[in-house]
Amino acid sequence: MTQFEQYFTQRREEHLAELKELLQIPSISALSDHKHDIRHAAEWIAAALQSIGMSKVEVMQTKGNPVVYAEWLGAKDKPTALIYGHYDVQPVDPLHLWTTPPFEPAIRDGKLYARGSSDDKGQTFMHIKALQAFMQTTGTLPVNVKFCIEGEEEIGSPHLEEFVETHKELLQADVLVISDTTMYERGRPAICYGLRGLCALQIDVKAAKGDLHSGIYGGGVPNSIHALVELLASMHDGNGRVTVEGFYDQVKPLTEEEREAFQALGYDDVKAAAELGLQELFGEAGYSTLERMWARPTLEINGIYGGFQGEGTKTVIPSEAHAKITCRLVSEQNPDDILDRLEAHIRKHTPKGVTINVTRQDKGRPFVTPYDHPLIQAAARAYEKGYGVTPVFTRMGGSVPIVETFGRLLHVPVVLMGFGLPDENFHAPDEHFHLENFDKGLLTICHYWEEISNLK
Amino acid sequence: MTQFEQYFTQRREEHLAELKELLQIPSISALSDHKHDIRHAAEWIAAALQSIGMSKVEVMQTKGNPVVYAEWLGAKDKPTALIYGHYDVQPVDPLHLWTTPPFEPAIRDGKLYARGSSDDKGQTFMHIKALQAFMQTTGTLPVNVKFCIEGEEEIGSPHLEEFVETHKELLQADVLVISDTTMYERGRPAICYGLRGLCALQIDVKAAKGDLHSGIYGGGVPNSIHALVELLASMHDGNGRVTVEGFYDQVKPLTEEEREAFQALGYDDVKAAAELGLQELFGEAGYSTLERMWARPTLEINGIYGGFQGEGTKTVIPSEAHAKITCRLVSEQNPDDILDRLEAHIRKHTPKGVTINVTRQDKGRPFVTPYDHPLIQAAARAYEKGYGVTPVFTRMGGSVPIVETFGRLLHVPVVLMGFGLPDENFHAPDEHFHLENFDKGLLTICHYWEEISNLK
């Protein structure tokens, strides 16, 4: 057993108890009545960073939720790493599908269940504890570190770009490390070199000024839901391809090398469908499932509502209908350009008799980094030591818009060192985190700091 | 001023106070937690019938909500009228759109605002008060009467057919009188000779066993909302025509006489659109608005829901999506047959990767009665006396399934003597009843009993 293994084993209960405390804070950024919890979570993170010996810790205001900044710069001539994470979490509905309440952390079967356990409080917490291990065992750190922990990642980081722009000097580093992605699968750690971008909008359809009786008016007047489903159905063809004009114009085809590397991972469609409770997978024709999830753009309806939703029947012609849409973007797709194209499609396909209002929401650009960079290769060696296996290089379908922002503004290589697993239900009921990756992840992070400390 | 005018004028405040009491009972039949209120409303009606001197009053159990039966059969050699009404009401959501609470009746501008004020507690109450007027002024009634006031009309009267079948003899009459339809417009009373039928179903779409993160899985798996909107959009063409195979097979074309009579009513599309807050009306191509609303079948989506409906964005691939549909039926369209055709359409158009469950709900057959029947012509004379104008003969787009049931089981002519107005928001927020029709309607009902009492 190495020194670090011993250290973490001895303190495991204490660390988990601390993490549970953080997970109890319902810091949901999408719901405005959780402002107080957001503040509480930020202050909790700041206090934890203070307690491990960071030389400067600050809860910094933005126009939105605060950013927790911290630094320790005592490793002369060593690289400086910027660690990014987020303390905000997704909403929790439908609440009745949680086995235990989302903000009452519970361990079952070696997994820690709670909203944020995997995405991203659990992983952010590991970085704090890894550095504490160095401090408590060696009295110092092998590298210089800065922390930038934000509170708006789950709503698209609307104020972080301005924050990074304003504090470029403060945040400048040699490498950015982010643990907010996933391993390829259990026992198979991954270093992710590509992320999809995101753009979002809400569609509000309005027909008559109020709900109407379907007996009196049925057949005579427009129905907001009819208009909405007709409009939404016009956005895909029957083969899962997006039919919005120009949607794929800026998508670069995958290289043969990448297609082969994806293929080599042996993704099993039948097994995946069974695990998800599906008869079959479905998506854009002509691409493998991994290609569709990692390297193809999507247009996804995330929510729809209008008219009567209660028990039984209500013979009403609804005045209003609403839909929420997000697109995942790749290559050179620009979120603003895609939103323009979506709005043009909506204007062109607005059914007769209704008015449609479009509200633009979150956005983030896609990101790809060269995976042969020395600081990324160092991460591969750290994984080998932490997990005893060689990690795979992957792309990921998710969006961490801030990755692209940091890369663009700070010109800094980005190491995506994620310890989540793909089926840990982040953004869904029963989010959880496999504690074996809590344990091995802590070691991997420690090895990484030693690896880059020794880089020429 | 006639004797009845004087009578009703003197007691107007007292009558409205009594009606308000009935309107305060939230007897919503669609929501099972209002069972107690349903019972309360039934007992209120029974007590009112008792108090005016009905010789027999009974709250009769069914497998669902009770029916209030009452009779007075002391008019020897005179016709017997069966009066049908309902004491249940529609749900009230969205609650925030009511100017005053739905179950706190309020009079503004000569209108009584409350759920049920027009549909149908207000109109049922008028029949009780009209008979009381005879009792109190003449000590007797000019005709024999039976009351059948049910509590499940707003959920499609699921148990009334069995009730009528079982109590055929008890309910037998020479004429059925129902006040649950509307006048053509303000100042223009109407006798309705046709009603549309109804059938309803709910569609539940299921994709993966739980909600999925659209970053991780987006593009790889089916989305329940995509499947639902594709399916629903397949049910109409762009001209508002239903595309379900065989949907129109049993629809008889309107006669030239009827089309001309509708035309003569001078329905103003532009005015109607403006009143409803619409840019334009919309519906099946090739038919006038009145034809579409009165004599053409429809397929209407009454509600839709799935995925995230909160504030902001949630990047989720929803597991479940739901829609509620009702069809309005005409001519020989059979609700069961239409539901079969809808289910066949759904099976044929179920998108890849999802499972769909269909639940059949309410149903009722369409109804048309010959408008030259002497008991209907007597109603025309009663309106002339009550309102001072000749009523128009109309059809109506709504469904009162029980009309068809009574007609079929009791072989009895049906007089639809409605005092509501089309824009009184029944089934919507701010339902109200114009009190001028409360006043004139009471007189019209009294004249009708005198008219048919004098029929040879």
Side-chain angles (χ1 to χ4, degrees):
Chain A
M1 217 182 230
T2 68
Q3 186 189 5
F4 282 126
E5 270 176 282
Q6 211 160 19
Y7 174 89
F8 288 119
T9 304
Q10 280 167 5
R11 285 162 185 80
R12 193 169 190 265
E13 288 315 305
E14 179 194 322
H15 286 172
L16 289 177
E18 266 183 70
L19 173 55
K20 282 179 179 177
E21 219 184 274
L22 173 59
L23 292 171
Q24 281 167 18
I25 307 170
S27 46
I28 302 168
S29 48
L31 304 175
S32 51
D33 54 350
H34 285 272
K35 279 284 169 219
H36 176 79
D37 303 309
I38 284 284
R39 184 89 212 166
H40 184 186
E43 280 163 3
W44 195 101
I45 295 283
L49 287 164
Q50 196 83 61
S51 78
I52 67 166
M54 292 290 103
S55 56
K56 178 177 168 186
V57 178
E58 203 175 330
V59 176
M60 296 175 78
Q61 277 316 315
T62 69
K63 282 179 191 153
N65 298 334
V67 170
V68 183
Y69 174 81
E71 64 179 32
W72 184 94
L73 303 174
K76 203 163 168 276
D77 299 331
K78 295 295 181 186
T80 300
L82 174 64
I83 301 163
Y84 166 87
H86 63 92
Y87 61 81
D88 65 320
V89 298
Q90 279 276 318
V92 295
D93 51 84
L95 199 55
H96 69 279
L97 294 182
W98 287 79
T99 307
T100 45
F103 298 109
E104 296 176 21
I107 294 173
R108 294 191 291 278
D109 260 349
K111 291 167 250 177
L112 174 57
Y113 285 81
R115 172 59 86 230
S117 57
S118 174
D119 176 18
D120 182 47
K121 286 174 175 172
Q123 301 197 51
T124 297
F125 179 78
M126 287 162 68
H127 278 285
I128 301 174
K129 291 293 129 182
L131 293 178
Q132 187 179 34
F134 280 103
M135 285 291 199
Q136 293 198 345
T137 55
T138 69
T140 186
L141 299 182
V143 289
N144 301 296
V145 294
K146 298 177 175 181
F147 276 88
C148 174
I149 312 298
E150 74 149 320
E152 300 188 319
E153 199 274 341
E154 299 294 3
I155 52 168
S157 303
H159 300 98
L160 201 63
E161 173 148 353
E162 188 184 326
F163 181 85
V164 176
E165 185 85 68
T166 311
H167 300 96
K168 260 187 193 169
E169 213 160 316
L170 183 72
L171 299 172
Q172 199 56 61
D174 299 301
V175 61
L176 171 64
V177 176
I178 300 180
S179 297
D180 194 24
T181 51
T182 65
M183 295 169 51
Y184 180 70
E185 62 187 6
R186 211 168 160 190
R188 217 168 168 190
I191 297 168
C192 177
Y193 68 95
L195 290 164
R196 291 194 287 193
L198 179 81
C199 63
L201 54 74
Q202 170 150 344
I203 298 175
D204 300 301
V205 181
K206 178 100 182 171
K209 67 184 174 190
D211 288 349
L212 298 174
H213 188 302
S214 80
I216 307 301
Y217 292 101
V221 297
N223 176 319
S224 63
I225 299 180
H226 292 199
L228 182 61
V229 301
E230 187 186 327
L231 173 65
L232 293 175
S234 76
M235 294 180 178
H236 287 93
D237 68 16
N239 295 315
R241 195 172 162 86
V242 177
T243 48
V244 173
E245 203 181 318
F247 186 77
Y248 295 100
D249 282 2
Q250 308 300 320
V251 178
K252 281 198 294 190
L254 282 164
T255 63
E256 266 319 300
E257 185 184 297
E258 282 179 298
R259 293 193 88 162
E260 277 161 25
F262 287 10
Q263 187 66 34
L265 289 169
Y267 190 85
D268 185 338
D269 279 17
V270 173
K271 185 170 157 242
E275 281 170 3
L276 297 171
L278 287 165
Q279 294 172 319
E280 54 181 335
L281 302 184
F282 176 73
E284 191 188 0
Y287 296 91
S288 75
T289 303
L290 279 191
E291 288 167 4
R292 296 199 310 262
M293 296 195 301
W294 288 358
R296 294 295 298 172
T298 67
L299 186 163
E300 207 83 58
I301 309 168
N302 307 116
I304 193 165
Y305 53 105
F308 184 61
Q309 302 183 26
E311 190 188 341
T313 292
K314 187 177 178 194
T315 48
V316 68
I317 303 174
S319 161
E320 294 181 9
H322 313 271
K324 287 167 184 284
I325 288 178
T326 49
C327 294
R328 297 287 171 175
L329 309 177
V330 300
S331 313
E332 305 300 318
Q333 283 184 307
N334 177 309
D336 289 309
D337 171 62
I338 293 296
L339 288 172
D340 287 346
R341 291 177 187 277
L342 278 171
E343 285 205 44
H345 181 96
I346 292 166
R347 277 195 304 275
K348 190 174 161 192
H349 291 83
T350 295
K352 270 195 190 170
V354 301
T355 52
I356 295 189
N357 190 45
V358 174
T359 310
R360 294 180 178 216
Q361 295 171 319
D362 320 343
K363 55 198 182 196
R365 297 186 199 208
F367 163 82
V368 179
T369 204
Y371 49 81
D372 50 5
H373 193 288
L375 285 157
I376 296 189
Q377 293 299 323
R381 292 194 298 280
Y383 270 115
E384 269 163 41
K385 292 182 179 169
Y387 276 82
V389 297
T390 309
V392 292
F393 286 91
T394 62
R395 288 168 70 150
M396 216 181 85
S399 307
V400 190
I402 192 59
V403 173
E404 190 277 338
T405 308
F406 275 113
R408 184 163 36 86
L409 295 178
L410 301 183
H411 307 283
V412 60
V414 183
V415 179
L416 298 175
M417 191 188 275
F419 300 106
L421 286 178
D423 61 353
E424 289 183 329
N425 292 348
F426 19 109
H427 296 209
D430 275 353
E431 176 177 348
H432 58 277
F433 189 42
H434 282 69
L435 292 177
E436 67 191 40
N437 295 319
F438 180 78
D439 301 329
K440 291 182 180 162
L442 282 167
L443 296 177
T444 303
I445 294 170
C446 291
H447 288 302
Y448 184 63
W449 300 137
E450 287 181 334
E451 283 291 333
I452 69 168
S453 175
N454 297 331
L455 274 184
K456 301 282 164 315
Chain B
M1 218 182 229
T2 68
Q3 185 188 8
F4 283 125
E5 269 175 287
Q6 210 161 22
Y7 173 90
F8 288 120
T9 304
Q10 279 167 4
R11 286 161 184 79
R12 194 168 188 263
E13 288 315 305
E14 180 194 321
H15 287 172
L16 289 177
E18 266 184 70
L19 174 54
K20 283 178 177 177
E21 220 185 273
L22 174 59
L23 293 171
Q24 280 167 19
I25 306 170
S27 46
I28 301 169
S29 49
L31 304 174
S32 50
D33 55 350
H34 285 272
K35 280 284 169 219
H36 176 79
D37 302 309
I38 284 285
R39 184 88 212 168
H40 184 185
E43 280 163 3
W44 195 100
I45 294 282
L49 287 164
Q50 195 83 59
S51 77
I52 67 166
M54 292 289 103
S55 56
K56 178 176 166 185
V57 178
E58 204 175 329
V59 175
M60 296 175 79
Q61 277 316 316
T62 69
K63 282 178 192 155
N65 298 334
V67 170
V68 183
Y69 175 81
E71 64 178 33
W72 183 94
L73 303 173
K76 196 158 172 279
D77 298 330
K78 295 294 180 184
T80 300
L82 175 63
I83 301 163
Y84 165 87
H86 62 92
Y87 62 80
D88 64 320
V89 297
Q90 280 276 318
V92 295
D93 51 82
L95 200 55
H96 69 281
L97 294 182
W98 287 78
T99 307
T100 46
F103 299 109
E104 296 176 21
I107 294 174
R108 292 191 293 279
D109 258 351
K111 292 167 250 180
L112 173 58
Y113 286 82
R115 173 58 87 227
S117 57
S118 173
D119 177 16
D120 184 48
K121 286 174 175 173
Q123 301 198 50
T124 297
F125 179 78
M126 286 161 68
H127 277 283
I128 301 174
K129 289 294 130 180
L131 293 177
Q132 188 180 32
F134 281 103
M135 285 291 199
Q136 294 198 344
T137 55
T138 68
T140 186
L141 299 182
V143 290
N144 301 295
V145 293
K146 298 176 174 182
F147 276 88
C148 175
I149 312 297
E150 73 149 320
E152 300 188 320
E153 199 275 340
E154 300 295 4
I155 53 169
S157 303
H159 300 99
L160 200 64
E161 172 147 354
E162 189 184 325
F163 181 85
V164 176
E165 184 86 66
T166 312
H167 300 97
K168 260 187 193 170
E169 212 160 318
L170 183 71
L171 299 172
Q172 200 55 62
D174 299 300
V175 61
L176 172 64
V177 176
I178 300 179
S179 298
D180 195 23
T181 50
T182 64
M183 296 168 52
Y184 179 71
E185 63 188 4
R186 210 169 159 190
R188 216 165 166 192
I191 297 169
C192 178
Y193 68 94
L195 289 166
R196 291 193 287 193
L198 180 81
C199 64
L201 54 76
Q202 171 150 343
I203 298 176
D204 301 301
V205 180
K206 178 101 181 168
K209 66 184 172 188
D211 288 348
L212 298 174
H213 189 301
S214 79
I216 308 301
Y217 292 102
V221 298
N223 176 320
S224 63
I225 299 181
H226 292 196
L228 182 60
V229 301
E230 186 185 327
L231 174 64
L232 293 175
S234 77
M235 294 180 178
H236 287 92
D237 66 16
N239 295 315
R241 195 171 161 87
V242 176
T243 48
V244 173
E245 203 181 318
F247 185 78
Y248 294 100
D249 282 2
Q250 307 301 320
V251 178
K252 281 197 295 189
L254 282 165
T255 63
E256 267 318 300
E257 184 184 298
E258 281 178 299
R259 294 193 88 163
E260 278 162 25
F262 287 9
Q263 186 67 33
L265 288 169
Y267 190 85
D268 185 340
D269 278 18
V270 173
K271 184 169 157 243
E275 280 171 4
L276 298 170
L278 287 165
Q279 293 171 323
E280 55 182 333
L281 302 184
F282 176 73
E284 192 188 0
Y287 296 91
S288 75
T289 303
L290 278 191
E291 287 167 5
R292 297 200 310 263
M293 297 194 302
W294 288 358
R296 295 292 299 171
T298 67
L299 186 162
E300 206 84 55
I301 309 169
N302 308 116
I304 193 165
Y305 52 107
F308 183 62
Q309 303 183 26
E311 189 188 341
T313 292
K314 187 176 179 194
T315 48
V316 67
I317 302 175
S319 161
E320 294 181 8
H322 313 271
K324 288 169 182 283
I325 288 177
T326 49
C327 293
R328 297 287 172 174
L329 309 177
V330 300
S331 312
E332 305 300 317
Q333 283 183 306
N334 178 310
D336 289 310
D337 171 63
I338 293 296
L339 288 171
D340 287 346
R341 290 176 188 277
L342 277 171
E343 284 206 44
H345 181 95
I346 292 166
R347 277 196 304 276
K348 190 173 160 192
H349 291 83
T350 295
K352 271 196 189 168
V354 301
T355 52
I356 295 190
N357 189 46
V358 173
T359 310
R360 294 179 178 217
Q361 295 170 320
D362 320 343
K363 56 196 182 196
R365 297 186 199 209
F367 163 83
V368 179
T369 203
Y371 49 79
D372 51 4
H373 194 286
L375 284 157
I376 297 189
Q377 293 301 322
R381 292 192 299 278
Y383 270 115
E384 269 162 43
K385 291 182 180 167
Y387 278 82
V389 296
T390 309
V392 293
F393 286 90
T394 62
R395 287 167 71 150
M396 215 182 85
S399 307
V400 190
I402 192 59
V403 173
E404 190 277 337
T405 308
F406 275 113
R408 183 164 36 86
L409 295 179
L410 301 183
H411 307 284
V412 60
V414 184
V415 180
L416 298 175
M417 190 188 276
F419 299 106
L421 287 178
D423 61 353
E424 290 183 329
N425 292 348
F426 19 109
H427 297 210
D430 275 353
E431 176 177 347
H432 57 277
F433 189 43
H434 282 70
L435 292 178
E436 67 190 40
N437 295 318
F438 181 77
D439 300 329
K440 290 181 180 164
L442 282 167
L443 295 177
T444 303
I445 295 171
C446 291
H447 288 303
Y448 185 63
W449 300 138
E450 286 180 335
E451 283 291 333
I452 70 166
S453 175
N454 297 331
L455 273 185
K456 301 281 163 318

